[in-house]
Amino acid sequence: MQFVTEALAEIKRHGLYRQIPDYDPVDAVHVVEDGRRYLMLASNNYLGLTHDPAVREAAAAAALRYGAGSGGARLTTGSHPLFAELERELAAFKGTEAALVFNTGYMANVGIISALAGPGDVIFSDELNHASIIDGCRLARAKVVVYRHADAGHLAECLATTPCAGRRLIVTDGVFSMDGDIAPLDQIVPLAEQYDALVMVDDAHATGVIGPGGRGTTAYFGLKGRVHIEMGTLSKALAAEGGYVAGRRELIDYLVNKARSFIFSTALAPATVAAATAALRELAARPALVATLQANARYLRDRLNEAGFNVASSVTAIIPVIVGEADAAVAMARSLKEAGLIVSAIRPPTVPPGTCRLRLTVSAAHSREDLAAAAEHIIAAGRRLGIVKE
Ligand SMILES: *Cc1c(COP(=O)(O)O)cnc(C)c1O
């Protein structure tokens, strides 16, 4: 085990050692740690539905009716009526023929990509795609061509110059998890059609966030029916846990038979499935939730922008505050923690050197007072640390 000791020492030497914090959640946007209350600006609980009464009651009722665990994989013993209900409603929400639930978004990406591409095929992947997409590409053992972030011109060049005897798959985050910008799907889809490529979009940060009624990236661009694989998670705006894919009925049947992360893993607990369904119904019934989230994000982004911060190209609920070096990001996060705010400091290898940042995520459950106070603290800390001028 000497290598473990050495690896940990190496991580610590680079100031990159990470530990799991111990928070006690009190509501959708506040946690307690060591007796002190903090405002959470780092979770993906975009609509605050984790603590919605109807969602919590649905989860509790499902546990009482169907049990605490599912007892097996879906294809063997783990199915119950709540899955069919959730999948039907997800498909209706996304406007597709069918949907399939996976245990996590990570498992959905890994399972879908490795089922759709293999040796002889080529996957075209945005350089800022989520780690689960990268891992899915590795598992597929297809050739992977990484194109420059959100650069449809570079994607076109890659498509034109990469020989491919098999299938082509273009995969992109819909909303990028570190920059909060939106993939240029309106340019990607015509390219895919020109080169007869499949298009897959990961709507983890887009579901419940962008597009009419929070329906995600395809709806945002009005491309319904032209994106083959719409993946998303139940773990962010939908307040539960799990991943999903929406698309043609045959695609779903294919994945049931081919996606190993679906086949060989125990199904989600009934309470989780019921919570996701209830959250989806809240989202459909209360479009004002999405409007509130968007207005909250715009408010905080505008405040930080006006104060001179670089918030990159964010247009969604993820707001990067670029501060430069790792030390500055860590100092800023630490100073904000002292002020009662929890924000993430993002450093290499997650982002390129010199673009270290705070990553703020806004929720519909944040009050304007919460966000106004947060903006004041961030501006004060930025001035104190010389990141923005007085
Ligand atoms: C969070 C995330 C995932 C993984 O989803 P989990 O449900 O947390 O496993 C996949 N893709 C993107 C873009 C994400 O942000």
Side-chain angles (χ1 to χ4, degrees):
M1 296 291 279
Q2 185 59 28
F3 75 96
V4 172
T5 313
E6 284 166 10
L8 286 173
E10 175 80 7
I11 293 169
K12 285 180 182 162
R13 211 163 28 247
H14 289 96
L16 297 175
Y17 185 68
R18 303 175 74 180
Q19 280 170 296
I20 303 171
D22 223 348
Y23 297 135
D24 186 354
V26 287
D27 60 29
V29 290
H30 293 92
V31 299
V32 166
E33 187 190 45
D34 295 332
R36 181 164 178 208
R37 184 183 163 95
Y38 293 89
L39 179 70
M40 178 57 78
L41 276 166
S43 96
N44 302 310
N45 190 7
Y46 291 121
L47 302 176
L49 290 173
T50 52
H51 288 67
D52 180 86
V55 174
R56 291 203 273 185
E57 274 161 28
L64 293 174
R65 166 73 176 78
Y66 293 105
S70 69
R74 288 281 293 288
L75 284 170
T76 55
T77 56
S79 237
H80 47 72
L82 299 175
F83 275 111
E85 193 174 56
L86 174 56
E87 287 168 347
R88 202 168 47 240
E89 294 187 26
L90 280 168
F93 179 71
K94 299 299 272 191
T96 61
E97 285 177 10
L100 180 69
V101 168
F102 287 72
N103 289 354
T104 66
Y106 185 102
M107 288 170 71
N109 275 337
V110 164
I112 296 164
I113 296 170
S114 61
L116 291 175
D121 301 329
V122 182
I123 303 172
F124 298 86
S125 177
D126 186 289
E127 68 179 330
L128 293 190
N129 276 344
H130 189 262
S132 55
I133 294 179
I134 296 170
D135 292 358
C137 292
R138 289 178 181 156
L139 204 57
R141 291 177 296 139
K143 180 179 172 66
V144 181
V145 176
V146 175
Y147 61 90
R148 285 196 293 273
H149 175 55
D151 186 340
H154 188 224
L155 171 62
E157 210 177 296
C158 292
L159 283 162
T161 56
T162 310
C164 177
R167 281 190 289 276
R168 294 180 178 87
L169 170 66
I170 302 170
V171 57
T172 182
D173 282 16
V175 169
F176 287 88
S177 53
M178 288 303 139
D179 287 49
D181 54 340
I182 301 175
L185 215 55
D186 53 336
Q187 298 168 59
I188 292 173
V189 165
L191 280 173
E193 288 167 351
Q194 185 186 339
Y195 286 91
D196 196 23
L198 293 169
V199 181
M200 171 169 170
V201 59
D202 174 341
D203 266 349
H205 296 287
T207 302
V209 179
I210 65 167
R215 281 175 171 71
T217 315
T218 305
Y220 175 86
F221 286 109
L223 292 167
K224 184 162 138 36
R226 293 170 71 188
V227 172
H228 307 87
I229 304 118
E230 292 189 68
M231 175 273 173
T233 68
L234 308 174
S235 54
K236 289 167 182 161
L238 294 177
E241 188 184 271
Y244 68 83
V245 56
R248 298 257 312 270
R249 177 79 251 168
E250 269 203 321
L251 168 76
I252 301 308
D253 293 342
Y254 174 85
L255 292 173
V256 166
N257 285 275
K258 290 279 198 182
R260 293 170 62 85
S261 63
F262 172 80
I263 299 168
F264 296 106
S265 190
T266 297
L268 286 172
T272 306
V273 181
T277 307
L280 186 59
R281 287 177 186 167
E282 290 301 315
L283 168 57
R286 293 157 62 192
L289 275 177
V290 181
T292 302
L293 171 64
Q294 291 173 350
N296 277 353
R298 193 175 318 117
Y299 170 79
L300 185 58
R301 196 166 50 236
D302 288 351
R303 290 295 320 274
L304 298 176
N305 229 336
E306 284 157 17
F309 283 104
N310 172 6
V311 295
S313 43
S314 164
V315 288
T316 66
I318 298 166
I319 307 177
V321 177
I322 314 288
V323 300
E325 297 311 315
D327 295 351
V330 172
M332 188 84 178
R334 192 171 298 138
S335 150
L336 292 174
K337 181 100 188 259
E338 279 159 21
L341 302 180
I342 294 179
V343 305
S344 314
I346 312 282
R347 294 163 278 174
T350 310
V351 294
T355 70
C356 295
R357 64 195 62 190
L358 303 180
R359 176 180 181 272
L360 312 178
T361 49
V362 178
S363 171
H366 285 131
S367 68
R368 253 328 138 81
E369 295 72 47
D370 284 340
L371 294 176
E376 289 308 318
H377 287 306
I378 296 166
I379 294 165
R383 286 177 180 162
R384 210 162 47 241
L385 293 166
I387 292 158
V388 289
K389 293 187 194 64
E390 289 290 329

